[in-house]
Amino acid sequence: MKKILAVILSAVMVFCCIPFAASAANEYHFTTNVSIDNSNMFASGTTYYIDKGVKMTVPVGITLNIPANCELVVSEGATLEINESVVVVADGVLTVEGKITGAERITCNNGGTARTVIRFPSLESQGLIGPNGPRIEVSYAFSSNGNIYEDLETTDPDEELDEVIQDAINKLKYTKVPVAGDSKVYAPLNQYVFIKAEIVEPDKMYDKFDDAKMDVNLNGIGVPFRQGSHHTKLTNAADVTYSAWPNDDYFLNSFKIYLPSDEGYRVIGREGEQSELGETVTLKYGQSFSFRVEIDEAYDMSQFEVYIYNGYGWTDLDTETLLKDIKPAQPDKYGYYTISEIKGEHTIYVVGIMSNDTILMVGDILDLVRNIFNMITEFFAKIAEFFGISTGTPAA
């Protein structure tokens, strides 16, 4: 009996020394660090787990194959280090919930899948639930060809590259992240992830807040904001965090106001903003801006009008068409014009500036024309009088 027990105990001890342990049918867990020495160590129909705290290494010279109907899961807190290569064949799956190094050395053949997880925190845990509800709406999308610009192509040689890129990004299909609770999604490894963290606008007609100021971080590292979204190549599992919300002012949008300067005049802001060639003044949403028009002495006879156009920098357009439906702005008693509660970009136009010499010349020409007209009128009146033709008003 003692010999039987000794054999059983020996078998148990040997089993415990194996680097993975069976926990259920067709499921194995690696419980201690392991370096792969057999390219075909994984069996079809089985799911393998690298448990938390465990590191699996694929050394130089070894290509690890994940066969059909087999899945290797890198658990949260576990590590897969790839120094050579991993090949995932059709219907095979590599799932990364922990850390992976050397993701660029993974190849998926004939429909094999390599995926990773993105964990989105609840907005409440990020301090992004305000008195009126969520402060941001989060959505995500992925590329499918490893290219940041999913369908970057154009048949129009005159189309601007930025427009092509924006159009490509707009074609991506975004999925909204639930507002309540933590959530996670599986994303294709080595593809680009696009995350929109759009600040909820209190008034849909205006862009009060600037989405670019709402940071999105993956594993504590900021993701660049370009063309309306935060996007980067996904080479690891990712925990998402966002900017804190200190106050509304921090996220306010900024708008440009174009101050023109041209021959004979300059537009000068109340705080002295000006430029010989025209200057952009940048103001936050809701601020006001006052300015005056300074006329050069040689142009001070001009009867000018000031227009404030809702839009920025349209200085080369036909002002007669652009401004025909806009009423001239009116100055206060100190000569200042004011744009109240800025909610968009503006361009200031000054129309009717002429040099005094030109005005005087035009006046002289008008006087000359008037005199000639009077002379002609008198000449024909004399002729009519000579022939006895009355030029006066007939008697009643």
Side-chain angles (χ1 to χ4, degrees):
M1 185 66 177
K2 291 181 179 179
K3 290 183 178 180
I4 296 174
L5 289 174
V7 171
I8 293 174
L9 288 173
S10 297
V12 170
M13 291 178 67
V14 170
F15 182 78
C16 290
C17 291
I18 298 174
F20 55 83
S23 60
N26 300 322
E27 182 179 300
Y28 290 91
H29 290 256
F30 289 90
T31 57
T32 60
N33 293 344
V34 59
S35 180
I36 301 299
D37 59 6
N38 180 3
S39 295
N40 299 307
M41 68 172 292
F42 292 153
S44 180
T46 304
T47 300
Y48 298 87
Y49 292 87
I50 307 174
D51 283 352
K52 181 178 181 180
V54 175
K55 179 180 179 180
M56 175 181 285
T57 302
V58 181
V60 174
I62 294 291
T63 294
L64 178 63
N65 296 305
I66 300 179
N69 301 315
C70 173
E71 182 177 7
L72 173 62
V73 179
V74 183
S75 302
E76 187 173 355
T79 301
L80 174 62
E81 181 182 289
I82 305 172
N83 295 303
E84 186 64 39
S85 62
V86 170
V87 176
V88 187
V89 303
D91 298 322
V93 179
L94 170 62
T95 300
V96 179
E97 296 184 346
K99 181 180 179 181
I100 183 172
T101 60
E104 69 280 2
R105 300 186 179 98
I106 298 171
T107 302
C108 294
N109 292 337
N110 302 320
T113 300
R115 62 180 188 169
T116 188
V117 70
I118 302 177
R119 290 177 280 262
F120 292 94
S122 68
L123 296 184
E124 183 177 8
S125 70
Q126 298 284 291
L128 291 173
I129 300 292
N132 299 317
R135 296 193 184 278
I136 61 174
E137 292 180 350
V138 182
S139 57
Y140 61 89
F142 310 114
S143 66
S144 61
N145 58 10
N147 192 321
I148 191 170
Y149 308 122
E150 177 78 0
D151 299 308
L152 184 54
E153 58 182 38
T154 177
T155 57
D156 183 357
D158 296 325
E159 191 170 5
E160 293 290 338
L161 179 61
D162 284 348
E163 295 177 4
V164 179
I165 292 172
Q166 187 62 63
D167 183 58
I169 291 177
N170 290 341
K171 290 179 181 178
L172 293 169
K173 296 180 179 179
Y174 282 85
T175 302
K176 287 189 176 181
V177 175
V179 171
D182 298 341
S183 60
K184 67 178 183 179
V185 297
Y186 288 98
L189 197 63
N190 291 328
Q191 303 294 334
Y192 277 86
V193 58
F194 299 78
I195 298 176
K196 289 184 177 181
E198 299 172 299
I199 303 176
V200 177
E201 297 288 354
D203 187 338
K204 298 299 183 183
M205 291 183 62
Y206 301 102
D207 292 327
K208 178 177 181 179
F209 299 113
D210 183 357
D211 293 337
K213 294 181 179 180
M214 173 54 66
D215 296 335
V216 172
N217 308 299
L218 297 186
N219 300 328
I221 299 174
V223 180
F225 181 88
R226 299 184 297 270
Q227 265 109 8
S229 72
H230 298 266
H231 46 270
T232 187
K233 199 167 189 176
L234 201 57
T235 58
N236 225 312
D239 289 285
V240 178
T241 55
Y242 312 103
S243 297
W245 191 282
N247 51 61
D248 287 5
D249 288 348
Y250 181 84
F251 296 96
L252 288 180
N253 220 332
S254 295
F255 298 105
K256 296 178 289 187
I257 299 177
Y258 185 81
L259 304 185
S261 293
D262 207 338
E263 185 176 354
Y265 76 94
R266 289 181 296 174
V267 172
I268 303 175
R270 190 182 292 273
E271 301 300 324
E273 304 92 341
Q274 62 177 302
S275 171
E276 293 297 332
L277 300 176
E279 178 183 351
T280 296
V281 174
T282 302
L283 298 169
K284 284 189 174 183
Y285 180 97
Q287 288 185 306
S288 297
F289 180 70
S290 295
F291 64 92
R292 61 186 174 86
V293 180
E294 184 178 90
I295 306 296
D296 293 349
E297 185 177 346
Y299 292 77
D300 60 8
M301 295 175 64
S302 298
Q303 299 296 311
F304 64 89
E305 292 179 322
V306 173
Y307 294 86
I308 300 172
Y309 177 72
N310 291 333
Y312 175 74
W314 304 102
T315 54
D316 296 329
L317 300 181
D318 178 12
T319 54
E320 290 187 7
T321 302
L322 192 68
L323 306 176
K324 67 177 182 178
D325 297 324
I326 302 176
K327 292 182 179 180
Q330 299 300 317
D332 62 18
K333 62 181 181 180
Y334 302 106
Y336 280 94
Y337 302 82
T338 297
I339 307 173
S340 300
E341 288 192 272
I342 290 168
K343 296 181 178 180
E345 297 183 334
H346 298 276
T347 298
I348 296 167
Y349 290 92
V350 180
V351 178
I353 300 295
M354 297 174 61
S355 70
N356 294 346
D357 289 343
T358 300
I359 293 172
L360 292 174
M361 182 179 68
V362 171
D364 291 342
I365 292 173
L366 290 175
D367 288 340
L368 179 60
V369 170
R370 189 180 300 109
N371 291 335
I372 293 173
F373 178 79
N374 289 336
M375 289 174 59
I376 292 173
T377 302
E378 291 178 6
F379 173 75
F380 282 105
K382 292 290 185 181
I383 292 177
E385 183 180 349
F386 177 80
F387 285 102
I389 302 173
S390 174
T391 59
T393 303

